[in-house]
Amino acid sequence: MAKGLEQALAAGDCPSFDALLDAYLAVLDASIVALTDRVRRWERLWPHVSPTPLLSGTMPSCMEQGLDIAEAGATYNTSGVCCIGLADVVDSLAVLEQLVYGEQRCTLAELKAALAADWQGFDELRLAVRHRAPKWGNNDERVDRLAVRVTDVVGRRINREPNARGGVFQAALYGILPTVQNFGKPTGALPNGRHAGTPLTVNTGASLGMNRQGVTGLVHSVTKIDLAQFPNGTVLDIMLHPSTLSGDQGWQTVAAVVRSHFAQGGLAIQFNIFDPVVLREAKEFPERHADLQVRVCGWNVLFANLRPEEQDLFIAKAEAAQ
């Protein structure tokens, strides 16, 4: 989703924010058309190139029909499309709406010049976009409504698209660590102050250090989205410092967050509760923390098994949560 905004900005100037938003959504639509067509062509080749008899043999429907999963032998033959970079996109759109088209803090041409320079030489403007415009994850309607608009469009567009195996595509709103890093590398600087080539935001979480209203604000923002439009999955990551959970009151607070999240329509939530000092030590001396696990997009992994740049993402999130 972030690359689509970069492409929309590169396509030309727009006379209003509404025109820019429409241009961005048109780019997203074209990307979905190209992506689903490519996947359908791949799916038609799947039975011939890489059938999956071992996995198919565990499914009664495949055995009854004598068909591989690749031949649509499963009961459900869906294909997933992951929508990545939510916070990057909506924070950037909020900057464009307020600072460029609203307050006219800078022109669109000046902002594009800053992006082309990866913000080098535009320190004052970058401070403004980082701290004067509203940010996703703070229960701020100015940016949350943009998230609702974008997710409504991509969710409905993806979920009605047929695949090549008699099923449909299903939208997802998550991105695992290697994905947000790999997709971030070819993505240029963005209007929210993000530097070119850096990882995109993970899942439905806020940009690093930008959820200034704490866990409550983040939950309120995320649950404004119609998460039923993302049947292929999504998850809200919460990073907490251990000090916030001391005593019985701390655990009651976590329980209240979980109950509130689901009562408001949340789909999945997970917690990482770490002191950044411990994570930094685990990176430097993995043998001392061989059993340390972190939660990554719905499952656990050993911290020592993560790549150094992935470990750095967890350390940065833990530092921001202090």
Side-chain angles (χ1 to χ4, degrees):
M1 293 196 292
K3 191 67 176 178
L5 181 57
E6 182 186 357
Q7 293 169 332
L9 288 171
D13 293 339
C14 294
S16 67
F17 175 74
D18 288 341
L20 176 61
L21 181 58
D22 288 342
Y24 167 61
L25 295 175
V27 170
L28 279 187
D29 186 79
S31 297
I32 292 168
V33 169
L35 168 69
T36 52
D37 180 66
R38 188 183 311 124
V39 172
R40 278 190 290 264
R41 287 186 278 122
W42 182 86
E43 286 181 322
R44 295 185 187 103
L45 295 173
W46 183 10
H48 310 289
V49 175
S50 183
T52 54
L54 184 60
L55 183 58
S56 299
T58 67
M59 299 188 179
S61 59
C62 290
M63 296 299 292
E64 291 168 1
Q65 301 178 73
L67 295 174
D68 191 89
I69 292 175
E71 300 171 303
T75 301
Y76 304 102
N77 293 287
T78 57
S79 303
V81 178
C82 294
C83 301
I84 298 167
L86 174 67
D88 291 309
V89 167
V90 296
D91 286 355
S92 294
L93 289 172
V95 166
L96 288 159
E97 182 176 38
Q98 177 171 318
L99 299 186
V100 177
Y101 290 96
E103 299 176 8
Q104 298 182 347
R105 171 66 178 74
C106 66
T107 66
L108 186 59
E110 289 170 337
L111 180 61
K112 288 183 178 182
L115 300 181
D118 196 17
W119 295 105
Q120 299 303 314
F122 293 86
D123 295 341
E124 184 178 346
L125 180 58
R126 186 169 186 267
L127 283 173
V129 304
R130 295 282 287 173
H131 300 290
R132 286 186 57 185
K135 296 294 183 292
W136 168 250
N138 296 287
N139 194 27
D140 190 320
E141 192 61 28
R142 293 174 296 172
V143 64
D144 292 355
R145 64 178 175 78
L146 295 171
V148 171
R149 173 77 184 280
V150 172
T151 53
D152 279 350
V153 169
V154 296
R156 292 169 182 166
R157 180 64 180 82
I158 292 169
N159 291 328
R160 64 180 173 84
E161 189 73 23
N163 64 13
R165 294 177 292 122
V168 295
F169 285 92
Q170 290 188 157
L173 197 57
Y174 69 83
I176 59 177
L177 291 182
T179 307
V180 300
Q181 290 174 319
N182 292 337
F183 279 31
K185 289 176 182 177
T187 302
L190 293 174
N192 67 335
R194 173 191 166 276
H195 283 295
T198 56
L200 299 171
T201 47
V202 178
N203 305 325
T204 55
S207 298
L208 187 63
M210 291 294 106
N211 56 317
R212 298 167 184 137
Q213 298 301 314
V215 175
T216 301
L218 186 55
V219 168
H220 283 317
S221 287
V222 170
T223 53
K224 291 176 185 177
I225 295 174
D226 181 6
L227 296 171
Q229 295 187 101
F230 297 92
N232 219 58
T234 184
V235 62
L236 172 60
D237 300 280
I238 302 293
M239 177 70 78
L240 298 174
H241 190 275
S243 61
T244 63
L245 302 179
S246 58
D248 292 339
Q249 184 63 39
W251 293 108
Q252 292 171 9
T253 300
V254 171
V257 170
V258 172
R259 294 190 185 101
S260 174
H261 176 257
F262 289 115
Q264 295 178 172
L267 183 61
I269 188 170
Q270 65 183 18
F271 293 86
N272 277 297
I273 304 168
F274 292 113
D275 186 329
V277 173
V278 174
L279 293 182
R280 285 194 292 270
E281 182 180 284
K283 180 183 178 183
E284 185 174 0
F285 305 104
E287 68 280 358
R288 299 181 187 175
H289 300 273
D291 59 348
L292 178 63
Q293 297 186 47
V294 294
R295 292 173 178 84
V296 183
C297 201
W299 64 86
N300 288 12
V301 297
L302 293 171
F303 187 75
N305 289 347
L306 295 175
R307 295 181 298 177
E309 57 268 29
E310 294 171 343
Q311 294 175 331
D312 289 339
L313 287 176
F314 276 95
I315 293 171
K317 290 180 67 175
E319 290 173 340
Q322 291 188 99

